[in-house]
Structure formats: structure tokens, C-alpha cells
Amino acid sequence: MQSYISNDYNFIAQKTLYISLLAIFILTVLTAYSYYWNIENIHNEKLNLALAEAKANWNKDASFRKWATGHGGMYVQPDERTPPNPALAHLPNRDVVTAEGVKLTLMNPAYMMRQMTEEFEEHYGIKGKITGKLQLNPINKPDEWQLKALNIFESGKSNEVFEQQTIDGKPYLRYMKAMYMTKGCVKCHGILGFKEGDLRGGVSVSIPLSHYFAAATQTGDSIFTTHIIIWLIGFISIMIMTKLIKKLLEHMAHEALHDCLTGLPNLSLFKNRVSQSFKQKQRNPKYQFAVCFLDLDRFKNLNDSHGHSVGDQLLIKLSQRVSNILRPSDTISRMGGDEFTFLLDNISDLDETIAISERILKSFKKPFNINGDEIFTNASIGICMSSPQYTGADDMIRDADIAMYRAKSSGKGQIDIFNPEMHEYAIETMKIENDLRTAIVNNQLEVYYQPVINLKNQKIDGFEALLRWHHPTLGFVSPERFIPISESTGQIKELGQWVLTQACQQVREWSLQYCPNDEFSIAVNLSSIQLTDSVIHEQIEEVLRNTRMTQTKLHLEVTETALVGHKESAKQTIKKIRNSGISLSIDDFGKGYCSLTYLQEFDFDILKIDKDFIQDMGPEGKGLQLVRTLMLLARDLKMKVVAEGVETEEQLNRLKAMKCPYIQGYYFSRPLPADQIKALLEMGCHKDSLLLLNANREKAGKQAYS
Ligand code: C2E
Ligand code: MG
Ligand code: MG
């Protein structure tokens, strides 16, 4: 399980890393693309500006040339810069002299343009040139690019061309537009065979791009900085997100494998650790490990009495205390509730496991300080040692759990080691639990009755109803075995109600038949689970109504242990029951956690001295004194006393000597099925206990007791 989770975690973590890398890559590509797109745009924009400038220049040139051509050129005084143009030598009036004798020479438009553009180039760096495939002046010969442009003009594809070019190592935008022969052009260029309207050539303008590019570079620098910042923000965001996702995943993986209250590994992680130990054992058969199951004793009571928050804090502190006792290589986990498991890895033998478990239990002797209160707790531990029969964690945890249950049932604060019989016991428990559900409908249950003798009048005072189960395969199952199971499943409520109804019905019938003036009493055992049922008194009253049983003749028996942990709710129930006139007995008094304060706190009518006390009564000594003291105590508290488990005449005589009013035990009669009791009543045994004694003895001689 843990490996699934860690695999999932690794898978998602890896995927997150890939996605983050992809996101960084996409961010980089997009940023770079955006940067180059912006740079390209700026470059194009600058080129467009340069083109506009080139066109503006060209238009200016064209207007000027048009003017000059329209006026047939211009006469200037020849000097160094404007010598008579040899290309116009064929014109008769190239050179003229004014009336004042000033010499003038003709400057045709091309010549003028050349002069002007030279000046322009000098001042602004903008080159201009009129060119054509045929020219009067070889200086106007087109260069390679201009020739290409002239070819385009000739082809008619376009009448203007522009292109970025490097001239003398510097960038220029070259622009050239076609030029057609006008009337004024024929004067000079007609000699070359051009007619009006012919393509004469073109005018080219070269705009220096350096300052445009310088401006573009400046803008580009700030765009670069902006893009770097955007990229960094994106990169940092992705990194933070990745880190957060990683943290979240780690947290989730931890949550999935740990108990949220104590922070200890949970069952999944625990099983995984046990599986690791199994692998280790496979490699090295001498390798030993143990799985232990720890369950707190009466944790529910603590929760009920101190509240869940104290219970929670106790679990936290307890888990820390146990963790400190275990070695770092061991694993302790919380199964849930008050159940913990721990894995003792690489241990030498069972003794070491027991020693560690004992150390844990010993540590509980010290109280836990919770909110200033000293809380004591105890636990039961079940141990399951590794052995070749085990192949998986589940089996070992199950068996440690079984051993823990055994430890618990043999008294709290115990350690028990799993053995295969326990497994059978656990399986039988499951069977009992299961089959008990249908025991009533399958007629497998029967109420037995044990007479209670009034020693004063030597008559049967009444009976105690004791449940019997005839299981089809397990045979007779003792109530001491199945009652605790039915308590754990809650089925006791149904069983208890059934016993009560049966017993009341039966005893009422016997009373009517055999002693209508002095009805029999009936004692019915009440479990702790029934005591906590808030409507139990209503159910009891209903049974009494239905069976017409006299309230005062019903004695409900409660054990001391049934009161532990439910004091308050039990008090309420007991009060309601007693208010209905029903008597209450404290059963097996002295057997459990005998506390005299219970007698004071709860209003009991009858005290039933536990059979162990009766059987411990020797001719003299402590046993006898104890019973005598209990009797005195009951008398002082105005309680009736019933001595249970009277088996011998000596015991009877001693009790008689102590003036014990009621006795119950094998001496007079074992618990018997209804038909056998009926037979005894038929014989008049209810009127004379000696008759009962003899009848039972006679029967016992003939057959074994049931
Ligand atoms: P308990 O209520 O204390 O019942 C007396 C037990 O002592 C009975 O055992 C009875 O058979 C036995 N006993 C009576 N006289 C003698 C004697 O002289 N010597 C010895 N050694 N034992 C004697 P049983 O019937 O096995 O019942 C055991 C316990 O199971 C009862 O103890 C009671 O706590 C519980 N139980 C039985 N029936 C019911 C029931 O219907 N409801 C509940 N809640 N518990 C029941
Ligand atoms: Mg009883
Ligand atoms: Mg008893």
C-alpha cells in the first residue's frame, strides 16, 4: 500500500517536474518569440520610416527634375564643380555667352541632380542618382543593384524597388523608381534614341540606416530588458508553483500514511514495514521479528469520564512514551481508537520481545500529565513472533490481535503470546458471534432455573434464570463464553429481553400453579450493555405488564464490573428500575473490582456473595471472617444477602450459623431446565427444601448433572 502511495507520489512528482520543465521551455520560447517579433517589428518600422524618407526624397528630386526638365535645363557659370558637360557637347547651345560677356554652360536635369545629390550626400549622407541603361554621361552608369531594378522596370513587374543593402560597409535602404521620357528630356537624351514616354531609366535614393538602427537598438534594449524581467517572473512563478505542488504532494503522501492524531505511521505504512521484514527474513531465515498489538484497558471509560480531548491527548503522550522505549529501527503505528501495533525488527528471541513489552507496560505505571491532571492507564499486549508459517503482514497482525484479546480476557495489563490454539479460539469466537444471531429463532436457547432457598422457612424463595445455549456443532456453550461475545456485538439486548420474558412468564405460571399466595421471585441477570440502555426500564416494565409478573418479585442482578465506567448512566437506570418496585441485586460481590463505595452510591436491595468467598470458607480463618463481615455489612445497609455457590453441608451450616437468609448452590440444586423444576414443584419441593435436596440428590445419583 505504502509503495502504491509512494509510487503515486513519485509519479505525480516526476510528472510535475516534467510539466514545470515544459512550462519553462514554453515560457522561454514564447518570450524569445515575442522578443524577436518585437525587434522584427521595430526593424520593419524603421525600414518603413526610411522608405518613407526615401520616397519623400525621390518626390522632391522628381519635382525638381520636372521643373528643370520643363525649363530645358539651367545655365550656370562653369567652374570646377560645374564644368561644361561633355555629354552635352552635341548640343549647339551648350555654352553661351551673355551680352555682358559672361560665359554660361547648360546643366541638364541629370547633371543638376547629380550635383545636388552629391551635396545632399555630403550634408545628409543620402545618396541620389539618375541612371539608365543608356546614358549620356558614363558616370550615370547603373551599378549592379540599379541594373537589377532597371530590369524589373523593363519587365513591367513594378515601377519601384527598394531593398536594404550594405554600401561601403554601412547599411542603406536603397530605393529606385522608374523615370519616363518627357518632352523636355528629348532635348538631351533624344540622341540616345529615346522618345517621349519611353522608360529612360530610374532615380535611385539610398537612405543611410545607421541612425534608424541605432534608434531600433535603443528600443530593442529596453524590450530585451522587459522580456528578461517577464521571463524571470514566469520562471520564478513556475519554480514556486513546482515547489508548492511538491510540498503539497509530500504532505498528502505523509497524510495518507500517517495517523493524523499522533503522527505515527498508519496501518498501510505499518504493513509495508512488516512486508520489508518478511523480505529480510526471506534473505536470511535466522532473522527474527515480532508484531505486537497493544490495546488500552478501559479507554472508553476514560473518554466517557474525562472527555475525548483528554483521551486524544493521552493517546498522543502515550505514543510518544512508547516510541521512546522502542529502538529507532522499530515501527509503532496507530490502528485507530486506542489500538497500536509495533514491529520489533531484528530481535534475538521471544524473551527480548517480552522484555520490551514489559518495559512498555511498566512505563504506564507512571501517570500521564494531561492539563495538570494525572491520568493513569494500562494496556494489554499480544505478541506474534515471526515464523515460517507466516507469509504476510495481515496474518501476523491478526494473530497479535488475537493474543492481545487473550491477554485482556485473562486480566488487564497483561502480555500474551500467540499460539495456534488461540487462532482456533478466535475462529470459534467468530462462529459463536455469527451463530448467536440465529440462536433464538433456531430454538437453541433455553432458560435454566436455579432455586434460591429461604433458610428461615426452608422453602424455595424463587429462582435465578440462567441462559443455556445448545449449539448444533459446538454442543453446550457456557454463558460465560457467549454472554461477553453477545455484549461486544450488542446482541445481549435481544437475548436479555428474551430471557426476561421467558423467565417472568415461567415463574408467574409456577407461582399461580404452586403457591398463589406467596409468589416465587425470579432473579434475572442484567448486562452492563443493558444498563446503559436508556429505555431498558420501559422494556422491563412492558415485560412485567405482558407477563403479569409482580414487580417486587423480580430481582435484577448486576455485577460490580458492569458498573465500572458507566457509573452515571447506570445510576440513572437503576434509579428508574427501583422506582418501578423492582429489586436490584449486586451479583458476585467481591469478585471484581470490589469497591465498598458502590454499595453506598447505588441503592441495592440484595447482596449476592460470590461463590469463591463461600468456597474459601474454612472452619475458621480469613474466608469465614470475610463472609461474616460481608453479612454484617449487608445487614447494616439493610440489604438482603444471598450466598451463592453453596456446595456442601458444612458451608450451609456455617452460613446458617451466621444467619444467612438465602442460599443458592449445587448443594440444593443445580440450575435445571423448566420441565425438571416443574417436576420438583409437582413433588412439593417448593414447600420444603429438604425434599428438594433429596429429590435432586436422588436424581444426581441416577444421572450426571446437566
Ligand atoms: P451468575 O449470575 O453469578 O450465576 C451463577 C453462576 O454460578 C451460574 O453459572 C451457576 O450455574 C453457577 N453456580 C450456581 N451454584 C453453584 C455452585 O454451587 N457451585 C458452582 N461452582 N457454581 C454454581 P452459569 O449458569 O454458567 O452462568 C455464569 C454467568 O453467566 C452468570 O453468573 C451470569 O453472570 C452469566 N449469565 C448467565 N445467564 C445470563 C443471562 O441470561 N444474562 C446475563 N446477562 N448473564 C447471564
Ligand atoms: Mg447472577
Ligand atoms: Mg453470581
Side-chain angles (χ1 to χ4, degrees), residues 599-648:
L599 293 182
Q600 203 184 11
E601 276 188 59
F602 297 89
D603 279 332
F604 290 108
D605 305 281
I606 302 160
L607 187 144
K608 291 188 86 171
I609 302 174
D610 187 60
K611 54 181 172 286
D612 289 351
F613 283 92
I614 305 299
Q615 277 152 23
D616 279 355
M617 274 191 312
E620 53 196 40
K622 275 187 189 165
L624 191 71
Q625 277 168 12
L626 253 168
V627 176
R628 190 177 290 135
T629 313
L630 283 177
M631 215 96 84
L632 286 172
L633 180 77
R635 213 163 289 157
D636 280 357
L637 291 170
K638 305 207 169 30
M639 292 166 81
K640 280 193 208 165
V641 176
V642 179
E644 284 189 292
V646 180
E647 292 184 353
T648 63

Side-chain angles (χ1 to χ4, degrees), residues 288-293 326-327 342-360 381-386 415-417:
Q288 289 246 64
F289 62 96
V291 170
C292 304
F293 207 107
L326 298 178
R327 302 158 304 170
F342 51 93
L343 165 70
L344 302 178
D345 226 358
N346 197 12
I347 40 155
S348 46
D349 52 18
L350 176 63
D351 288 348
E352 194 184 347
T353 311
I354 294 172
I356 295 171
S357 303
E358 279 174 347
R359 231 176 294 149
I360 291 171
I381 297 177
I383 296 173
C384 178
M385 292 297 292
S386 61
I415 296 168
D416 214 332
I417 300 118

